[in-house]
Amino acid sequence: HTPTHSKMAKTPSKKSAKAPKKSGEGKKKKKSKESYSTYIYKVLKQVHPDTGISKKGMMVMQGFITDLFERIAGEAANICRFSKKKTMASREIQTSVRLILPGELAKHAVSEGTKAVTKWQSTLKK
Protein backbone atom coordinates (compact mmCIF):
# COMPACT_ATOMS: atom_id res chain seq x y z
CA HIS A 1 0.00 0.00 0.00
CA THR A 2 1.12 3.55 -0.65
CA PRO A 3 0.93 5.95 2.31
CA THR A 4 -0.45 9.43 1.66
CA HIS A 5 1.88 12.15 2.89
CA SER A 6 -0.20 15.13 1.72
CA LYS A 7 -1.60 16.08 5.12
CA MET A 8 1.34 14.95 7.24
CA ALA A 9 3.67 17.50 8.80
CA LYS A 10 7.10 17.45 7.24
CA THR A 11 9.99 16.52 9.47
CA PRO A 12 13.30 18.21 8.75
CA SER A 13 16.00 16.02 7.27
CA LYS A 14 19.77 16.27 7.49
CA LYS A 15 20.00 17.58 3.94
CA SER A 16 18.53 21.06 3.60
CA ALA A 17 16.81 22.07 0.38
CA LYS A 18 18.61 24.64 -1.78
CA ALA A 19 17.01 28.05 -2.12
CA PRO A 20 15.04 28.42 -5.38
CA LYS A 21 17.07 30.22 -8.04
CA LYS A 22 15.83 32.94 -10.37
CA SER A 23 14.47 31.82 -13.74
CA GLY A 24 17.11 30.81 -16.25
CA GLU A 25 19.83 30.20 -13.65
CA GLY A 26 20.32 26.49 -14.28
CA LYS A 27 19.70 24.01 -11.39
CA LYS A 28 16.21 23.36 -10.03
CA LYS A 29 15.34 23.43 -6.32
CA LYS A 30 15.85 20.05 -4.61
CA LYS A 31 12.64 18.59 -3.19
CA SER A 32 13.19 18.01 0.52
CA LYS A 33 12.49 14.41 1.53
CA GLU A 34 10.99 14.09 5.00
CA SER A 35 13.07 12.09 7.41
CA TYR A 36 13.44 11.20 11.09
CA SER A 37 17.23 10.92 10.78
CA THR A 38 18.05 14.04 12.81
CA TYR A 39 15.83 12.82 15.66
CA ILE A 40 17.20 9.25 15.47
CA TYR A 41 20.72 10.68 15.67
CA LYS A 42 19.88 12.94 18.65
CA VAL A 43 18.32 10.04 20.59
CA LEU A 44 21.28 7.77 19.74
CA LYS A 45 23.67 10.39 21.14
CA GLN A 46 21.58 10.67 24.34
CA VAL A 47 21.68 6.89 24.87
CA HIS A 48 25.16 6.07 23.48
CA PRO A 49 27.27 9.25 23.05
CA ASP A 50 30.24 7.36 21.55
CA THR A 51 28.23 5.35 19.01
CA GLY A 52 27.61 6.29 15.38
CA ILE A 53 25.19 4.94 12.78
CA SER A 54 25.74 3.94 9.14
CA LYS A 55 23.54 5.01 6.21
CA LYS A 56 22.04 1.53 6.02
CA GLY A 57 21.45 1.49 9.78
CA MET A 58 19.77 4.88 9.51
CA MET A 59 17.57 3.59 6.66
CA VAL A 60 16.50 0.61 8.79
CA MET A 61 15.62 2.93 11.70
CA GLN A 62 13.80 5.29 9.31
CA GLY A 63 11.68 2.38 8.04
CA PHE A 64 11.03 1.15 11.56
CA ILE A 65 9.78 4.53 12.80
CA THR A 66 7.68 5.15 9.67
CA ASP A 67 6.07 1.71 10.07
CA LEU A 68 5.35 2.30 13.76
CA PHE A 69 3.94 5.76 13.02
CA GLU A 70 1.60 4.34 10.36
CA ARG A 71 0.42 1.52 12.64
CA ILE A 72 -0.30 3.87 15.56
CA ALA A 73 -1.99 6.50 13.36
CA GLY A 74 -4.07 3.82 11.62
CA GLU A 75 -5.21 2.31 14.89
CA ALA A 76 -6.01 5.78 16.28
CA ALA A 77 -8.07 6.47 13.13
CA ASN A 78 -10.01 3.23 13.74
CA ILE A 79 -10.64 4.24 17.36
CA CYS A 80 -12.00 7.61 16.17
CA ARG A 81 -14.22 5.86 13.62
CA PHE A 82 -15.61 3.36 16.15
CA SER A 83 -16.30 6.04 18.78
CA LYS A 84 -17.76 8.40 16.11
CA LYS A 85 -15.24 11.14 16.94
CA LYS A 86 -14.03 13.56 14.30
CA THR A 87 -10.91 14.62 16.20
CA MET A 88 -7.88 12.44 16.88
CA ALA A 89 -6.50 13.52 20.25
CA SER A 90 -3.72 12.34 22.57
CA ARG A 91 -6.21 9.95 24.20
CA GLU A 92 -6.73 8.04 20.92
CA ILE A 93 -2.96 7.93 20.32
CA GLN A 94 -2.38 6.63 23.85
CA THR A 95 -5.00 3.89 23.41
CA SER A 96 -3.53 2.81 20.07
CA VAL A 97 -0.02 2.72 21.60
CA ARG A 98 -1.38 0.44 24.36
CA LEU A 99 -2.93 -1.83 21.72
CA ILE A 100 0.08 -1.98 19.37
CA LEU A 101 3.15 -2.07 21.62
CA PRO A 102 3.82 -5.04 23.89
CA GLY A 103 3.69 -4.81 27.73
CA GLU A 104 6.56 -2.89 29.26
CA LEU A 105 7.33 -1.06 26.01
CA ALA A 106 3.76 0.31 25.93
CA LYS A 107 4.04 1.49 29.54
CA HIS A 108 7.29 3.36 28.82
CA ALA A 109 5.89 4.84 25.59
CA VAL A 110 2.74 6.05 27.37
CA SER A 111 4.74 7.67 30.19
CA GLU A 112 7.11 9.39 27.70
CA GLY A 113 4.14 10.55 25.62
CA THR A 114 2.32 11.90 28.69
CA LYS A 115 5.51 13.72 29.73
CA ALA A 116 5.85 15.26 26.25
CA VAL A 117 2.19 16.39 26.12
CA THR A 118 2.45 17.91 29.63
CA LYS A 119 5.62 19.80 28.63
CA TRP A 120 3.92 21.04 25.43
CA GLN A 121 0.77 22.16 27.33
CA SER A 122 2.92 24.14 29.78
CA THR A 123 4.32 26.19 26.86
CA LEU A 124 0.76 27.19 25.81
CA LYS A 125 -0.25 28.57 29.20
CA LYS A 126 2.29 31.42 29.17
Side-chain angles (χ1 to χ4, degrees):
H1 67 92
T2 54
T4 54
H5 295 286
S6 59
K7 290 189 180 181
M8 233 191 289
K10 283 195 174 182
T11 54
S13 67
K14 269 197 258 186
K15 294 173 186 168
S16 59
K18 288 181 183 170
K21 295 195 175 186
K22 290 180 185 100
S23 58
E25 268 193 52
K27 291 181 184 177
K28 288 181 183 176
K29 181 188 164 196
K30 262 190 185 174
K31 182 163 186 328
S32 61
K33 185 77 180 100
E34 52 188 27
S35 166
Y36 296 104
S37 59
T38 49
Y39 310 108
I40 293 166
Y41 196 77
K42 283 176 185 177
V43 171
L44 174 66
K45 288 300 163 190
Q46 283 178 344
V47 185
H48 297 287
D50 311 330
T51 310
I53 188 166
S54 67
K55 267 188 188 175
K56 277 188 178 180
M58 187 60 83
M59 282 171 62
V60 168
M61 287 303 296
Q62 179 72 30
F64 170 72
I65 293 170
T66 303
D67 177 58
L68 203 55
F69 175 85
E70 286 172 3
R71 285 194 212 181
I72 292 167
E75 190 58 49
N78 288 337
I79 291 164
C80 288
R81 204 174 302 119
F82 298 145
S83 57
K84 293 185 171 70
K85 283 186 179 174
K86 290 185 178 179
T87 308
M88 188 186 291
S90 59
R91 191 167 190 257
E92 285 74 34
I93 300 296
Q94 190 177 92
T95 306
S96 59
V97 164
R98 283 198 169 114
L99 289 167
I100 289 165
L101 299 180
E104 200 70 16
L105 199 57
K107 285 177 191 167
H108 284 289
V110 166
S111 72
E112 286 296 318
T114 305
K115 191 170 82 177
V117 170
T118 307
K119 185 181 174 185
W120 171 76
Q121 282 175 333
S122 72
T123 65
L124 300 177
K125 292 174 184 171
K126 286 178 183 173

